[in-house]
C-alpha cells in the first residue's frame, strides 16, 4: 500500500470553495481502481486546516491519480486558495495487512 497524508491550510475566504472542490475530487478518486481509501478531514479546532488521507494500492496508482481529470480540475481550482504550500507525508502499511484495506 502507498499511503499519503496531505496537509493543507486554506485562506479563510476560500474554505467553502475548497470543501466543494475537494469533495468532488474525493468522490471521483474513490472510483479509481487503485484507490483503497480517500478521506477528507478538517481540523475540529482550526477551520481551514485540512488533511487528505489517500491510500493507494501502489505508488504507480498514486501517480495515475495525478493524471485524472478530477485531480487536475482540483489542483487548478484550489491553487490560489491555500494560505501556505501543502505538505505531505508518505507512509508504509503495517496494520491491517494490505488485504485489510478492502
Amino acid at each position: 500500500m502507498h499511503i499519503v497524508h496531505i496537509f493543507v491550510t486554506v485562506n479563510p475566504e476560500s474554505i467553502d470553495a475548497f470543501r466543494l472542490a475537494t469533495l468532488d475530487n474525493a468522490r471521483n478518486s474513490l472510483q479509481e481502481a487503485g484507490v483503497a481509501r480517500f478521506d477528507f478531514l478538517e481540523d475540529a479546532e482550526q477551520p481551514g486546516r485540512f488533511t487528505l488521507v489517500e491510500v493507494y494500492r501502489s505508488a504507480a496508482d498514486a501517480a495515475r491519480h495525478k493524471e485524472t481529470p478530477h485531480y487536475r480540475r482540483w489542483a487548478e481550482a484550489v491553487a490560489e486558495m491555500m494560505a501556505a504550500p501543502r505538505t505531505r507525508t508518505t507512509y508504509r502499511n503495517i496494520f491491517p495487512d494490505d488485504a485489510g484495506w478492502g
Side-chain angles (χ1 to χ4, degrees):
M1 303 305 278
H2 184 80
I3 303 163
V4 183
H5 289 193
I6 299 167
F7 307 97
V8 181
T9 301
V10 175
N11 294 316
E13 66 276 8
S14 299
I15 291 173
D16 290 338
F18 181 83
R19 284 184 191 133
L20 288 173
T22 305
L23 281 170
D24 174 65
N25 183 44
R27 287 182 179 123
N28 282 287
S29 296
L30 285 175
Q31 304 305 310
E32 297 173 45
V35 175
R37 274 188 86 97
F38 201 102
D39 300 343
F40 177 36
L41 310 169
E42 184 173 11
D43 189 313
E45 296 180 7
Q46 297 182 58
R49 292 190 58 174
F50 298 93
T51 302
L52 301 175
V53 179
E54 303 177 12
V55 181
Y56 301 94
R57 303 213 179 273
S58 70
D61 290 320
R64 273 190 290 280
H65 167 71
K66 291 185 177 180
E67 297 173 4
T68 62
H70 57 270
Y71 173 81
R72 290 183 179 166
R73 182 172 57 241
W74 175 81
E76 184 178 324
V78 303
E80 299 300 318
M81 296 180 191
M82 297 183 196
R86 63 186 185 262
T87 61
R88 71 179 57 235
T89 303
T90 303
Y91 299 91
R92 73 183 121 90
N93 187 46
I94 296 174
F95 182 86
D97 64 12
D98 289 357
W101 288 94

XYZ file of all heavy atoms in Angstrom:
821
model
N 0.843 -1.183 0.000
C 0.000 0.000 0.000
C 0.886 1.244 0.000
O 1.966 1.245 0.570
C -0.916 0.011 1.213
C -1.799 -1.217 1.349
S -2.810 -1.602 -0.069
C -4.169 -0.520 0.156
N 0.399 2.269 -0.608
C 1.086 3.561 -0.673
C 0.141 4.565 -0.009
O -0.923 4.868 -0.550
C 1.352 3.925 -2.139
C 2.119 5.179 -2.323
N 3.481 5.244 -2.182
C 1.706 6.425 -2.638
C 3.876 6.479 -2.418
N 2.816 7.217 -2.693
N 0.523 5.046 1.167
C -0.365 5.871 1.985
C 0.221 7.275 2.087
O 1.390 7.443 2.459
C -0.541 5.257 3.385
C -1.074 3.832 3.234
C -1.451 6.118 4.255
C -0.927 2.981 4.460
N -0.604 8.261 1.772
C -0.149 9.646 1.778
C -1.115 10.482 2.612
O -2.334 10.386 2.444
C -0.084 10.220 0.344
C 0.466 11.636 0.358
C 0.745 9.319 -0.561
N -0.561 11.275 3.520
C -1.341 12.276 4.242
C -0.908 13.631 3.700
O 0.281 13.949 3.706
C -1.076 12.215 5.745
C -1.645 11.013 6.406
N -1.742 10.895 7.757
C -2.152 9.863 5.900
C -2.277 9.733 8.069
N -2.528 9.082 6.955
N -1.876 14.400 3.252
C -1.601 15.722 2.693
C -2.225 16.753 3.625
O -3.396 16.640 4.000
C -2.165 15.840 1.267
C -1.483 14.795 0.388
C -1.968 17.253 0.719
C -2.141 14.578 -0.928
N -1.433 17.739 4.002
C -1.860 18.756 4.962
C -1.991 20.096 4.232
O -1.062 20.536 3.563
C -0.845 18.852 6.102
C -0.573 17.517 6.745
C 0.524 16.764 6.380
C -1.452 16.999 7.686
C 0.766 15.519 6.949
C -1.227 15.757 8.269
C -0.120 15.017 7.898
N -3.164 20.705 4.386
C -3.468 21.934 3.648
C -4.050 22.965 4.608
O -4.935 22.644 5.409
C -4.502 21.663 2.525
C -4.790 22.931 1.747
C -4.052 20.543 1.613
N -3.565 24.194 4.516
C -4.165 25.317 5.223
C -4.715 26.259 4.161
O -3.998 26.672 3.248
C -3.140 26.042 6.108
O -2.606 25.101 7.045
C -3.793 27.187 6.873
N -5.999 26.577 4.308
C -6.727 27.339 3.293
C -7.025 28.746 3.813
O -7.313 28.935 5.001
C -8.038 26.595 2.948
C -8.900 27.392 1.999
C -7.724 25.231 2.366
N -6.961 29.719 2.932
C -7.345 31.085 3.286
C -8.793 31.091 3.781
O -9.642 30.403 3.205
C -7.211 32.008 2.079
C -5.774 32.172 1.643
O -4.877 32.357 2.455
N -5.546 32.071 0.344
N -9.088 31.857 4.825
C -10.450 31.838 5.405
C -11.558 32.088 4.398
O -12.604 31.448 4.453
C -10.396 32.944 6.464
C -8.957 33.049 6.838
C -8.187 32.738 5.569
N -11.344 32.978 3.453
C -12.394 33.297 2.487
C -12.596 32.191 1.443
O -13.568 32.215 0.686
C -12.094 34.626 1.782
C -10.879 34.613 0.892
C -9.545 34.865 1.595
O -9.495 34.922 2.843
O -8.537 35.000 0.882
N -11.712 31.196 1.444
C -11.778 30.123 0.448
C -12.231 28.781 1.011
O -12.295 27.797 0.283
C -10.400 29.943 -0.204
O -10.005 31.129 -0.858
N -12.544 28.735 2.302
C -12.851 27.452 2.945
C -14.011 26.731 2.259
O -13.902 25.542 1.936
C -13.106 27.646 4.455
C -11.796 28.021 5.156
C -13.718 26.391 5.068
C -11.954 28.413 6.617
N -15.112 27.410 2.030
C -16.275 26.752 1.425
C -15.959 26.244 0.017
O -16.315 25.120 -0.345
C -17.484 27.680 1.393
C -18.059 27.940 2.777
O -17.816 27.121 3.695
O -18.753 28.957 2.947
N -15.288 27.049 -0.780
C -14.940 26.641 -2.143
C -13.954 25.476 -2.120
O -14.052 24.551 -2.945
C -14.358 27.825 -2.914
N -13.027 25.485 -1.174
C -12.071 24.383 -1.054
C -12.800 23.091 -0.700
O -12.512 22.028 -1.262
C -11.005 24.705 0.001
C -9.988 23.609 0.148
C -8.911 23.523 -0.717
C -10.114 22.643 1.141
C -7.977 22.499 -0.589
C -9.192 21.620 1.277
C -8.113 21.548 0.400
N -13.730 23.183 0.238
C -14.509 21.984 0.607
C -15.212 21.398 -0.623
O -15.177 20.193 -0.845
C -15.539 22.326 1.676
C -14.974 22.494 3.053
C -16.119 22.724 4.044
N -15.610 23.135 5.341
C -16.078 24.140 6.043
N -17.081 24.873 5.591
N -15.563 24.431 7.218
N -15.885 22.243 -1.396
C -16.621 21.770 -2.568
C -15.694 21.126 -3.599
O -15.981 20.042 -4.119
C -17.400 22.914 -3.206
C -18.618 23.399 -2.428
C -19.193 24.649 -3.090
C -19.665 22.308 -2.329
N -14.591 21.777 -3.890
C -13.653 21.244 -4.880
C -13.039 19.930 -4.405
O -12.869 18.986 -5.189
C -12.557 22.269 -5.165
N -12.739 19.853 -3.120
C -12.092 18.652 -2.596
C -13.079 17.501 -2.470
O -12.715 16.341 -2.702
C -11.386 18.965 -1.264
O -10.477 20.064 -1.477
C -10.597 17.768 -0.763
N -14.324 17.792 -2.149
C -15.346 16.736 -2.143
C -15.502 16.133 -3.536
O -15.621 14.910 -3.685
C -16.680 17.280 -1.642
C -16.811 17.436 -0.138
C -18.081 18.207 0.204
C -16.803 16.070 0.543
N -15.499 16.962 -4.561
C -15.581 16.468 -5.935
C -14.394 15.552 -6.235
O -14.558 14.449 -6.774
C -15.615 17.640 -6.920
C -15.550 17.180 -8.361
O -16.498 16.512 -8.825
O -14.529 17.474 -9.021
N -13.201 15.971 -5.862
C -12.005 15.170 -6.101
C -12.064 13.860 -5.314
O -11.776 12.787 -5.851
C -10.753 15.960 -5.725
C -9.492 15.191 -6.036
O -9.352 14.590 -7.095
N -8.564 15.211 -5.102
N -12.461 13.923 -4.051
C -12.511 12.723 -3.211
C -13.512 11.709 -3.757
O -13.209 10.512 -3.864
C -12.858 13.107 -1.777
N -14.699 12.164 -4.096
C -15.735 11.255 -4.611
C -15.284 10.576 -5.906
O -15.484 9.373 -6.090
C -17.031 12.017 -4.836
C -17.730 12.381 -3.550
C -19.054 13.091 -3.805
N -19.707 13.392 -2.539
C -20.070 14.607 -2.152
N -19.867 15.653 -2.944
N -20.647 14.795 -0.982
N -14.687 11.339 -6.786
C -14.208 10.763 -8.041
C -12.999 9.859 -7.830
O -12.856 8.838 -8.503
C -13.882 11.866 -9.049
C -15.126 12.423 -9.679
O -15.746 11.773 -10.506
N -15.524 13.616 -9.274
N -12.156 10.202 -6.882
C -10.970 9.392 -6.601
C -11.358 7.997 -6.126
O -10.701 7.011 -6.471
C -10.093 10.081 -5.554
O -9.597 11.298 -6.068
N -12.417 7.904 -5.357
C -12.866 6.602 -4.862
C -13.320 5.675 -5.988
O -13.423 4.459 -5.787
C -13.990 6.774 -3.840
C -13.550 7.267 -2.468
C -14.758 7.524 -1.582
C -12.597 6.269 -1.811
N -13.549 6.217 -7.162
C -13.944 5.399 -8.305
C -12.733 4.797 -9.027
O -12.893 3.912 -9.875
C -14.775 6.237 -9.293
C -15.998 6.885 -8.684
C -16.908 5.881 -7.994
O -17.273 4.866 -8.553
N -17.264 6.173 -6.747
N -11.537 5.246 -8.682
C -10.326 4.727 -9.318
C -10.011 3.337 -8.768
O -10.076 3.107 -7.557
C -9.134 5.650 -9.039
C -9.269 7.038 -9.616
C -8.138 7.952 -9.162
O -6.966 7.514 -9.197
O -8.439 9.092 -8.750
N -9.653 2.415 -9.649
C -9.367 1.038 -9.237
C -8.231 0.961 -8.219
O -8.247 0.104 -7.334
C -9.033 0.191 -10.462
N -7.248 1.838 -8.316
C -6.082 1.775 -7.439
C -6.231 2.498 -6.116
O -5.287 2.564 -5.330
N -7.404 3.049 -5.827
C -7.618 3.792 -4.584
C -8.376 2.911 -3.597
O -9.477 2.461 -3.870
C -8.394 5.104 -4.847
C -8.733 5.812 -3.545
C -7.581 6.017 -5.749
N -7.769 2.677 -2.429
C -8.414 1.894 -1.369
C -9.195 2.790 -0.414
O -10.220 2.382 0.129
C -7.374 1.089 -0.596
N -8.702 4.002 -0.189
C -9.371 4.982 0.683
C -9.018 6.374 0.209
O -7.936 6.610 -0.309
C -8.889 4.868 2.129
C -9.581 3.866 2.964
C -9.129 4.026 4.414
N -9.950 5.028 5.073
C -10.997 4.731 5.833
N -11.341 3.495 6.019
N -11.686 5.680 6.405
N -9.934 7.295 0.486
C -9.664 8.706 0.204
C -10.487 9.503 1.210
O -11.678 9.702 1.026
C -10.054 9.075 -1.233
C -9.373 10.310 -1.738
C -8.294 10.226 -2.597
C -9.811 11.562 -1.343
C -7.672 11.369 -3.074
C -9.197 12.717 -1.806
C -8.122 12.620 -2.669
N -9.862 9.874 2.310
C -10.559 10.568 3.395
C -10.243 12.057 3.344
O -9.103 12.456 3.074
C -10.121 10.023 4.754
C -10.413 8.540 4.929
O -11.215 7.990 4.162
O -9.808 7.933 5.836
N -11.238 12.866 3.632
C -11.119 14.324 3.628
C -11.525 14.806 5.013
O -12.672 14.653 5.416
C -12.019 14.888 2.531
C -12.072 16.390 2.442
C -10.966 17.176 2.691
C -13.257 17.011 2.068
C -11.037 18.565 2.580
C -13.337 18.390 1.956
C -12.228 19.165 2.217
N -10.578 15.364 5.753
C -10.787 15.749 7.147
C -10.497 17.227 7.353
O -9.613 17.790 6.705
C -9.848 14.943 8.058
C -9.829 13.422 7.855
C -8.680 12.808 8.622
C -11.158 12.828 8.260
N -11.239 17.839 8.290
C -10.974 19.222 8.678
C -10.697 19.260 10.171
O -11.395 18.614 10.964
C -12.161 20.135 8.360
C -11.871 21.598 8.667
C -12.968 22.548 8.200
O -14.059 22.064 7.817
O -12.734 23.761 8.218
N -9.700 20.016 10.571
C -9.353 20.180 11.976
C -10.549 20.753 12.727
O -11.076 21.803 12.353
C -8.150 21.123 12.080
C -7.558 21.215 13.464
O -8.328 21.370 14.439
O -6.319 21.166 13.576
N -10.986 20.078 13.774
C -12.173 20.492 14.532
C -11.955 21.803 15.269
O -12.910 22.523 15.555
C -12.567 19.395 15.522
N -10.715 22.127 15.580
C -10.426 23.335 16.355
C -9.897 24.482 15.514
O -9.848 25.615 15.986
C -9.440 22.993 17.471
C -10.025 22.022 18.477
C -9.070 21.670 19.598
O -7.979 22.276 19.683
O -9.422 20.784 20.383
N -9.492 24.187 14.295
C -8.919 25.215 13.430
C -9.515 25.095 12.024
O -8.915 24.490 11.143
C -7.397 25.072 13.372
C -6.735 25.286 14.723
C -5.234 25.177 14.603
O -4.609 25.916 13.832
N -4.646 24.269 15.343
N -10.695 25.668 11.820
C -11.298 25.618 10.484
C -10.316 26.147 9.439
O -9.578 27.100 9.687
C -12.515 26.530 10.610
C -12.837 26.519 12.069
C -11.506 26.402 12.776
N -10.312 25.484 8.313
C -9.386 25.879 7.258
C -8.123 25.041 7.218
O -7.336 25.158 6.291
N -7.943 24.190 8.223
C -6.812 23.249 8.207
C -7.372 21.871 7.872
O -8.209 21.348 8.594
C -6.092 23.243 9.550
C -5.371 24.564 9.799
C -4.489 24.502 10.976
N -3.516 23.429 10.760
C -2.507 23.186 11.594
N -2.362 23.896 12.679
N -1.673 22.206 11.335
N -6.903 21.314 6.786
C -7.440 20.065 6.261
C -6.351 19.009 6.136
O -5.175 19.334 5.967
C -8.048 20.295 4.879
C -9.207 21.250 4.886
C -9.026 22.607 4.656
C -10.496 20.795 5.130
C -10.090 23.488 4.656
C -11.569 21.672 5.136
C -11.368 23.012 4.901
N -6.792 17.758 6.187
C -5.919 16.626 5.916
C -6.627 15.708 4.932
O -7.807 15.401 5.098
C -5.601 15.840 7.212
O -4.998 16.715 8.156
C -4.667 14.671 6.926
N -5.901 15.297 3.913
C -6.373 14.274 2.985
C -5.597 13.006 3.299
O -4.362 13.034 3.369
C -6.120 14.684 1.536
C -6.776 15.980 1.079
C -6.344 16.321 -0.342
C -8.276 15.872 1.152
N -6.306 11.917 3.528
C -5.683 10.617 3.770
C -5.973 9.774 2.538
O -7.115 9.378 2.303
C -6.233 9.945 5.043
C -5.593 8.579 5.249
C -6.020 10.842 6.257
N -4.944 9.544 1.746
C -5.088 8.847 0.474
C -4.354 7.513 0.561
O -3.162 7.483 0.858
C -4.517 9.695 -0.653
C -5.163 11.072 -0.738
C -4.562 11.965 -1.806
O -3.781 11.475 -2.657
O -4.875 13.170 -1.804
N -5.074 6.426 0.322
C -4.473 5.094 0.369
C -4.587 4.469 -1.012
O -5.696 4.216 -1.500
C -5.143 4.207 1.435
C -4.480 2.835 1.479
C -5.089 4.875 2.809
N -3.442 4.249 -1.625
C -3.360 3.659 -2.956
C -2.813 2.240 -2.853
O -2.065 1.918 -1.943
C -2.434 4.498 -3.852
C -2.889 5.910 -4.006
C -2.407 6.922 -3.181
C -3.826 6.243 -4.975
C -2.844 8.227 -3.316
C -4.259 7.557 -5.123
C -3.769 8.544 -4.282
O -4.203 9.835 -4.417
N -3.154 1.415 -3.807
C -2.660 0.038 -3.819
C -1.172 -0.011 -4.167
O -0.470 -0.936 -3.782
C -3.483 -0.796 -4.771
C -4.959 -0.741 -4.400
C -5.725 -1.984 -4.666
N -7.112 -1.799 -4.232
C -7.553 -2.019 -2.997
N -6.733 -2.431 -2.072
N -8.818 -1.818 -2.692
N -0.675 1.019 -4.859
C 0.744 1.078 -5.221
C 1.131 2.529 -5.486
O 0.266 3.391 -5.685
C 1.010 0.236 -6.473
O 0.419 0.856 -7.606
N 2.433 2.764 -5.524
C 2.926 4.098 -5.874
C 2.515 4.450 -7.310
O 2.233 5.611 -7.606
C 4.439 4.163 -5.709
N 2.456 3.452 -8.176
C 2.022 3.697 -9.561
C 0.572 4.170 -9.597
O 0.214 5.040 -10.405
C 2.194 2.435 -10.405
N -0.276 3.629 -8.712
C -1.670 4.089 -8.647
C -1.745 5.541 -8.198
O -2.570 6.305 -8.685
C -2.485 3.197 -7.708
C -2.705 1.806 -8.278
O -2.955 1.693 -9.486
O -2.622 0.840 -7.491
N -0.872 5.922 -7.269
C -0.837 7.322 -6.825
C -0.426 8.232 -7.978
O -0.994 9.314 -8.157
C 0.117 7.471 -5.645
N 0.533 7.801 -8.754
C 0.968 8.600 -9.912
C -0.154 8.707 -10.946
O -0.376 9.793 -11.509
C 2.215 7.974 -10.537
N -0.883 7.608 -11.185
C -2.001 7.644 -12.138
C -3.099 8.589 -11.663
O -3.746 9.260 -12.462
C -2.567 6.238 -12.351
C -1.856 5.463 -13.425
C -2.592 4.185 -13.786
N -2.541 3.198 -12.723
C -1.509 2.387 -12.479
N -0.441 2.460 -13.244
N -1.547 1.526 -11.500
N -3.307 8.644 -10.345
C -4.317 9.550 -9.787
C -4.058 10.983 -10.232
O -4.988 11.714 -10.582
C -4.312 9.443 -8.262
C -5.066 10.536 -7.583
N -6.444 10.628 -7.629
C -4.630 11.598 -6.854
C -6.819 11.697 -6.946
N -5.750 12.301 -6.482
N -2.805 11.383 -10.256
C -2.466 12.766 -10.621
C -2.669 13.064 -12.102
O -2.602 14.213 -12.513
C -1.031 13.077 -10.198
C -0.901 13.134 -8.697
C 0.471 13.549 -8.271
C 0.528 13.667 -6.761
N 1.843 14.068 -6.291
N -2.947 12.039 -12.881
C -3.208 12.219 -14.314
C -4.703 12.284 -14.626
O -5.078 12.526 -15.777
C -2.572 11.067 -15.100
C -1.070 11.030 -14.976
C -0.461 9.792 -15.612
O -1.200 8.982 -16.216
O 0.759 9.633 -15.490
N -5.556 12.090 -13.620
C -7.003 12.057 -13.867
C -7.568 13.465 -14.061
O -7.040 14.442 -13.515
C -7.742 11.380 -12.696
O -7.536 12.153 -11.510
C -7.268 9.952 -12.487
N -8.645 13.576 -14.803
C -9.278 14.886 -14.985
C -9.752 15.495 -13.665
O -9.617 16.710 -13.473
C -10.468 14.603 -15.899
C -10.104 13.359 -16.624
C -9.278 12.551 -15.646
N -10.276 14.684 -12.741
C -10.766 15.254 -11.484
C -9.624 15.775 -10.613
O -9.782 16.793 -9.956
C -11.655 14.264 -10.704
C -11.030 12.966 -10.388
N -11.121 11.895 -11.238
C -10.311 12.559 -9.327
C -10.488 10.868 -10.699
N -9.971 11.248 -9.545
N -8.469 15.115 -10.624
C -7.331 15.645 -9.862
C -6.847 16.953 -10.478
O -6.608 17.928 -9.769
C -6.167 14.647 -9.796
C -4.955 15.285 -9.162
C -4.851 15.393 -7.776
C -3.960 15.863 -9.936
C -3.765 16.031 -7.190
C -2.876 16.498 -9.358
C -2.783 16.576 -7.990
O -1.722 17.224 -7.403
N -6.712 16.970 -11.777
C -6.241 18.200 -12.445
C -7.208 19.360 -12.220
O -6.786 20.489 -11.990
C -6.025 17.938 -13.926
C -4.838 17.040 -14.170
C -4.581 16.826 -15.615
N -3.413 15.969 -15.782
C -3.091 15.388 -16.903
N -3.823 15.588 -17.987
N -2.029 14.621 -16.976
N -8.507 19.057 -12.268
C -9.532 20.078 -12.006
C -9.367 20.606 -10.576
O -9.413 21.809 -10.330
C -10.908 19.452 -12.224
C -12.067 20.373 -12.040
C -13.401 19.744 -12.452
N -13.710 18.504 -11.735
C -13.879 17.326 -12.309
N -13.766 17.174 -13.619
N -14.179 16.262 -11.583
N -9.173 19.689 -9.620
C -8.989 20.080 -8.214
C -7.735 20.935 -8.048
O -7.794 22.004 -7.437
C -8.885 18.833 -7.328
C -8.588 19.151 -5.904
C -9.473 19.546 -4.942
C -7.301 19.142 -5.269
N -8.819 19.767 -3.748
C -7.488 19.527 -3.932
C -6.013 18.838 -5.708
C -6.434 19.618 -3.018
C -4.952 18.925 -4.802
C -5.181 19.318 -3.476
N -6.613 20.461 -8.574
C -5.347 21.177 -8.394
C -5.428 22.601 -8.936
O -4.932 23.545 -8.308
C -4.204 20.413 -9.061
N -6.059 22.763 -10.086
C -6.208 24.093 -10.669
C -7.146 24.958 -9.827
O -6.874 26.128 -9.578
C -6.724 23.981 -12.094
C -6.816 25.316 -12.792
C -7.277 25.183 -14.233
O -6.912 24.207 -14.898
O -8.014 26.087 -14.682
N -8.240 24.359 -9.370
C -9.244 25.120 -8.616
C -8.712 25.612 -7.278
O -9.046 26.714 -6.849
C -10.496 24.265 -8.401
N -7.903 24.805 -6.598
C -7.504 25.152 -5.223
C -6.152 25.856 -5.131
O -5.772 26.322 -4.062
C -7.511 23.914 -4.293
C -8.877 23.256 -4.295
C -6.415 22.930 -4.651
N -5.454 25.967 -6.223
C -4.092 26.522 -6.190
C -4.005 27.869 -5.484
O -3.086 28.101 -4.681
C -3.540 26.628 -7.604
N -4.937 28.750 -5.737
C -4.890 30.086 -5.142
C -5.608 30.160 -3.791
O -5.634 31.211 -3.165
C -5.493 31.098 -6.117
C -4.757 31.189 -7.443
C -3.306 31.611 -7.284
O -3.031 32.525 -6.482
O -2.446 31.026 -7.964
N -6.189 29.062 -3.338
C -6.934 29.059 -2.078
C -6.049 28.799 -0.864
O -6.448 29.069 0.267
C -8.023 27.972 -2.102
C -9.084 28.190 -3.139
S -10.272 26.829 -3.049
C -11.207 27.123 -4.536
N -4.860 28.297 -1.082
C -4.018 27.864 0.026
C -3.261 29.019 0.656
O -2.697 29.861 -0.034
C -3.056 26.785 -0.458
C -3.792 25.556 -0.924
S -2.676 24.258 -1.423
C -3.822 23.225 -2.319
N -3.265 29.017 1.998
C -2.552 30.047 2.740
C -1.054 29.768 2.767
O -0.260 30.675 3.010
C -3.099 30.123 4.163
N -0.675 28.515 2.529
C 0.727 28.087 2.503
C 0.800 26.868 1.591
O -0.217 26.210 1.361
C 1.192 27.736 3.908
N 1.984 26.552 1.095
C 2.094 25.352 0.262
C 1.676 24.105 1.053
O 1.970 23.986 2.238
C 3.588 25.292 -0.096
C 4.065 26.697 0.055
C 3.257 27.283 1.185
N 0.977 23.202 0.371
C 0.580 21.976 1.060
C 1.807 21.114 1.299
O 2.787 21.190 0.560
C -0.495 21.234 0.279
C -0.114 20.742 -1.085
C -1.351 20.148 -1.784
N -1.044 19.549 -3.053
C -1.194 20.126 -4.219
N -1.639 21.369 -4.283
N -0.893 19.489 -5.333
N 1.723 20.298 2.340
C 2.808 19.379 2.666
C 2.253 17.967 2.674
O 1.038 17.765 2.736
C 3.451 19.713 4.023
O 2.464 19.597 5.054
C 4.048 21.114 4.030
N 3.150 16.997 2.639
C 2.723 15.607 2.606
C 3.701 14.735 3.368
O 4.885 15.056 3.467
C 2.582 15.110 1.174
C 3.909 14.937 0.478
C 3.812 14.407 -0.959
N 2.999 15.262 -1.773
C 1.940 14.852 -2.459
N 1.584 13.605 -2.454
N 1.237 15.700 -3.170
N 3.181 13.646 3.877
C 3.984 12.593 4.476
C 3.511 11.285 3.871
O 2.311 11.037 3.769
C 3.800 12.558 6.014
O 4.141 13.828 6.557
C 4.677 11.495 6.641
N 4.464 10.453 3.450
C 4.145 9.160 2.871
C 4.463 8.076 3.889
O 5.501 8.118 4.553
C 4.947 8.937 1.574
O 4.659 10.020 0.688
C 4.592 7.625 0.906
N 3.551 7.106 3.998
C 3.684 6.035 4.974
C 3.708 4.686 4.279
O 3.201 4.533 3.177
C 2.477 6.049 5.938
C 2.359 7.322 6.724
C 1.599 8.385 6.235
C 2.994 7.476 7.948
C 1.482 9.564 6.953
C 2.874 8.648 8.662
C 2.118 9.691 8.159
O 1.995 10.860 8.873
N 4.251 3.687 4.976
C 4.110 2.308 4.536
C 3.197 1.602 5.508
O 3.135 1.934 6.686
C 5.447 1.629 4.366
C 6.176 1.275 5.612
C 7.531 0.666 5.207
N 8.564 1.463 5.796
C 9.060 1.223 7.006
N 8.647 0.208 7.703
N 9.980 1.998 7.500
N 2.494 0.651 5.016
C 1.478 -0.053 5.778
C 2.083 -1.075 6.739
O 2.995 -1.799 6.380
C 0.534 -0.761 4.803
C -0.636 -1.383 5.493
O -1.250 -0.749 6.332
N -0.948 -2.610 5.151
N 1.559 -1.104 7.973
C 1.927 -2.132 8.941
C 0.695 -2.948 9.326
O 0.695 -4.165 9.255
C 2.604 -1.509 10.178
C 3.925 -0.853 9.759
C 2.816 -2.563 11.260
C 4.618 -0.092 10.853
N -0.367 -2.287 9.731
C -1.601 -2.972 10.135
C -2.793 -2.104 9.810
O -2.740 -0.900 10.039
C -1.568 -3.256 11.645
C -2.784 -4.007 12.105
C -2.824 -5.389 12.027
C -3.900 -3.332 12.566
C -3.958 -6.081 12.425
C -5.042 -4.010 12.974
C -5.066 -5.395 12.897
N -3.875 -2.640 9.276
C -4.023 -4.042 8.890
C -3.165 -4.370 7.670
O -2.691 -3.459 6.992
C -5.512 -4.143 8.548
C -5.903 -2.765 8.110
C -5.046 -1.832 8.927
N -3.004 -5.664 7.392
C -2.232 -6.010 6.198
C -2.959 -5.473 4.961
O -4.087 -5.002 5.052
C -1.951 -7.510 6.112
C -3.216 -8.349 5.961
O -4.301 -7.793 5.696
O -3.100 -9.574 6.107
N -2.310 -5.528 3.839
C -2.859 -4.910 2.631
C -4.275 -5.398 2.308
O -5.116 -4.629 1.868
C -1.934 -5.133 1.445
C -0.641 -4.326 1.556
O -0.502 -3.553 2.535
O 0.216 -4.465 0.675
N -4.540 -6.668 2.540
C -5.880 -7.215 2.264
C -6.945 -6.581 3.161
O -8.115 -6.514 2.795
C -5.878 -8.729 2.442
N -6.553 -6.066 4.314
C -7.483 -5.449 5.245
C -7.995 -4.098 4.809
O -8.913 -3.554 5.433
N -7.445 -3.548 3.742
C -7.901 -2.242 3.242
C -9.094 -2.376 2.325
O -9.624 -1.405 1.855
C -6.757 -1.520 2.522
C -5.707 -1.030 3.461
C -4.581 -1.664 3.818
C -5.728 0.191 4.203
N -3.886 -0.912 4.716
C -4.563 0.235 4.976
C -6.614 1.258 4.286
C -4.248 1.296 5.822
C -6.303 2.318 5.120
C -5.134 2.335 5.874
N -9.515 -3.585 2.056
C -10.708 -3.807 1.238
C -10.434 -3.962 -0.222
O -9.402 -3.833 -0.741
